[in-house]
Amino acid sequence: MSGKILVVDDVATNRIVMKVKLATACYDVIQAESGRTALDMARAEIPDLILLDVLMPDIDGFTVCERLKADPRTADIPIIMITSLDDTEARLRGLSCGADEFLSKPVTELTLLARVRSLLRANSRNAELRMPTQAPAAGFADAPVPFKQAQTECVGLLMAQDGVGRRWASGLADRIREDVKFFTRAQALEASKDQPAVFVIEADAHRPEAALEILTDLRSRPATRHAQQIFMLQESHPELAARALDLGADDVVVAPITVQEMALRLRAQLQHKRTSDRRRNEVTDRLRQAVIDPLTGLYNRRFALGQLATIAREAEGSTRSFAVLLLDFDHFKQINDKFGHAAGDKVLTDTAKLLQARLRSLDVIARIGGEEFLMVLPDTDLEEAQRVAERLRAGIDQADITLPDGTTRVPVTISIGLAIGGHRTPDASVSDLLETADRALYAAKSDGRNQVSVGTISSAA
């Protein structure tokens, strides 16, 4: 089954008819005959979507919807309200309660299934972005960086020349706090940091396909792919509405529509956009934390070893060489003991910046231990690697690294072990190279520190 759907209706015949339609489309359907049962089942089953009748004998659908949206366990479940009521007041109340859509009976199977597919797709996409709140995976334990929402957002209107949208567009300014601006197709497709959070795309009655093209163009471009889209029809056209939803529209409205209803739908889409942006930001930040050393801002051991394996694999069967450098601070424990751990942390962070500034953008640098760093230099032969290593060593020896108070200079030196991989050592594994560099580092320490030592694969055997 591709989704679990809770059907809530006090009339058994209505539930059965709905179940048949949904089961034919391979959805798993569960049923509730009352508002209280619906609340219990939603909390127990956590369905992917709820089809909710409004008129029920115990608790009406408006109240059920409000309670579901107020409960953190069920707040993210999309809700379609389906009812025999067909008046503006009921529609506005349903949308105000948090319903994602309000459909009046009779509802065609085409319209219903298109709405279901659209909401399930959006809910699945959002579920992928949700970070676990308990038992986080390794590398995802730290809190994310606070998300900063843009102070001013924009609603972009792409209105047909002979459409109805322009008649009520000016009234939106009094009902939503976001800027409301008219866009041409070219303006909407132009990459810009000021792209609208929500687009309203009105289909021209004579050329509706053109609006579908705009919808797909916006969805395919990096600058606008995450914007919410409301597709607006000038008259009822179920087939076109279903196509728009399947092509990625987040909502479809049919004129005539009141300014109040459009404002409610816009506020809902704006909230969806903010939630999605926040979750994407959290995922990006958690992934960054999983590969970045929090103290120095360099890569961590796991990521660096993966990069080393990739560089080694790319060099196989070619004439290319690459260098592996292991760097360790000399007498780092004395720095901590004499000046304190805060001073030691500053030495690490300042040194990391100095090293990074002296490497190419394609080079890999990581902190792999307390005071040990790994550097991988692609497309680098032995002679060049020695020059780079010596430049790094001398740069740290001459660097003006001070205590956190900014006055006392801390003497810092490093030792470096170097190994060369690639066509000159085709049989050397990544482990061989790391062991060779480690032995060379030990030799640099034994020979007096503050120097570069070159290892060979034979010495590691």
Side-chain angles (χ1 to χ4, degrees):
M1 294 292 181
S2 56
K4 182 189 294 184
I5 300 176
L6 171 60
V7 175
V8 185
D9 199 307
D10 61 319
V11 180
T13 303
N14 292 342
R15 297 197 305 272
I16 293 171
V17 170
M18 194 65 69
K19 180 176 181 178
V20 170
K21 291 180 179 180
L22 295 169
T24 301
C26 297
Y27 293 115
D28 182 12
V29 181
I30 56 178
Q31 303 176 52
E33 72 283 356
S34 67
R36 288 190 177 87
T37 304
L39 290 171
D40 292 339
M41 291 188 68
R43 291 161 182 160
E45 299 285 344
I46 310 297
D48 298 297
L49 185 142
I50 298 174
L51 299 179
L52 178 62
D53 188 25
V54 172
L55 302 177
M56 289 183 290
D58 57 345
I59 305 175
D60 65 44
F62 299 124
T63 305
V64 172
C65 185
E66 288 176 336
R67 293 184 183 180
L68 290 172
K69 292 301 180 180
D71 188 337
R73 294 170 294 178
T74 56
D76 290 327
I77 302 174
I79 297 174
I80 300 177
M81 301 190 83
I82 301 178
T83 178
S84 57
L85 298 176
D86 189 18
D87 60 88
T88 300
E89 183 179 351
R91 179 182 296 274
L92 293 178
R93 185 179 176 189
L95 295 173
S96 298
C97 290
D100 295 86
E101 184 52 285
F102 189 98
L103 300 176
S104 297
K105 298 176 182 177
V107 180
T108 67
E109 186 171 343
L110 176 66
T111 298
L112 174 67
L113 294 180
R115 286 287 183 180
V116 167
R117 287 193 299 269
S118 176
L119 288 172
L120 285 177
R121 183 171 59 246
N123 193 45
S124 175
R125 187 167 59 243
N126 290 333
E128 292 173 356
L129 294 175
R130 294 182 194 122
M131 298 302 299
T133 56
Q134 295 180 352
F140 288 82
D142 296 332
V145 174
F147 174 63
K148 294 182 179 180
Q149 183 67 47
Q151 291 183 350
T152 302
E153 294 178 308
C154 171
V155 172
L157 306 181
L158 284 79
M159 300 286 98
Q161 290 298 321
D162 60 347
V164 298
R166 293 178 182 272
R167 302 172 192 169
W168 48 254
S170 60
L172 288 175
D174 297 328
R175 296 180 180 273
I176 61 174
R177 66 180 182 180
E178 289 72 21
D179 293 336
V180 179
K181 300 178 181 178
F182 287 97
F183 281 74
T184 65
R185 175 175 179 168
Q187 290 170 335
L189 296 178
E190 181 182 351
S192 169
K193 65 179 181 179
D194 298 320
Q195 287 287 3
V198 180
F199 285 101
V200 179
I201 305 168
E202 184 181 17
D204 190 308
H206 304 293
R207 296 183 60 249
E209 296 290 335
L212 292 177
E213 292 175 2
I214 295 175
L215 187 155
T216 54
D217 269 349
L218 292 173
R219 191 61 76 201
S220 68
R221 303 196 179 206
T224 54
R225 71 163 61 115
H226 296 307
Q228 302 294 113
Q229 298 190 30
I230 299 178
F231 195 78
M232 183 176 179
L233 294 167
Q234 297 183 28
E235 58 185 18
S236 180
H237 196 318
E239 293 81 7
L240 192 60
R243 286 183 61 193
L245 290 167
D246 286 337
L247 287 172
D250 299 286
D251 196 2
V252 172
V253 298
V254 180
I257 181 173
T258 65
V259 177
Q260 296 96 317
E261 181 177 342
M262 181 55 81
L264 284 172
R265 290 181 180 274
L266 280 171
R267 282 200 288 267
Q269 295 304 325
L270 285 163
Q271 185 56 49
H272 289 322
K273 176 67 163 57
R274 293 176 190 126
T275 300
S276 296
D277 286 349
R278 184 182 70 252
R279 287 172 175 165
R280 274 192 297 274
N281 182 76
E282 289 173 354
V283 169
T284 300
D285 190 66
R286 301 282 190 176
L287 291 173
R288 184 191 63 79
Q289 290 178 12
V291 301
I292 297 295
D293 171 57
L295 176 63
T296 63
L298 301 178
Y299 291 121
N300 61 20
R301 181 185 186 91
R302 176 182 294 182
F303 182 83
L305 293 181
Q307 292 294 101
L308 171 57
T310 299
I311 291 170
R313 186 167 55 250
E314 291 175 347
E316 289 179 0
S318 71
T319 59
R320 296 155 61 186
S321 297
F322 61 94
V324 178
L325 284 67
L326 283 179
L327 175 157
D328 192 73
F329 286 81
D330 299 326
H331 305 297
F332 189 77
K333 184 177 183 300
Q334 294 180 13
I335 296 175
N336 279 333
D337 291 345
K338 183 176 181 180
F339 301 107
H341 288 279
D345 287 348
K346 188 172 187 300
V347 167
L348 290 173
T349 56
D350 286 0
T351 302
K353 293 176 183 177
L354 291 170
L355 293 171
Q356 200 166 26
R358 286 169 169 78
L359 294 174
R360 303 168 298 178
S361 60
L362 57 83
D363 297 329
V364 178
I365 177 171
R367 182 189 179 202
I368 61 173
E371 61 268 15
E372 190 172 16
F373 292 67
L374 167 66
M375 285 159 283
V376 186
L377 315 181
D379 298 319
T380 303
D381 59 20
L382 176 59
E383 184 179 354
E384 176 64 19
Q386 286 180 291
R387 284 199 297 268
V388 172
E390 181 58 33
R391 185 169 69 244
L392 295 175
R393 183 207 63 77
I396 299 304
D397 188 23
Q398 299 165 11
D400 186 21
I401 298 178
T402 59
L403 291 180
D405 62 15
T407 58
T408 306
R409 185 181 182 280
V410 181
V412 177
T413 62
I414 58 174
S415 298
I416 299 176
L418 189 159
I420 294 294
H423 79 285
R424 291 186 178 276
T425 54
D427 298 325
S429 66
V430 167
S431 296
D432 293 334
L433 292 170
L434 288 171
E435 185 176 354
T436 300
D438 189 57
R439 288 176 178 272
L441 174 61
Y442 181 79
K445 294 279 191 180
S446 300
D447 291 342
R449 296 181 173 83
N450 192 22
Q451 59 182 282
V452 176
S453 178
V454 179
T456 62
I457 295 299
S458 59
S459 68

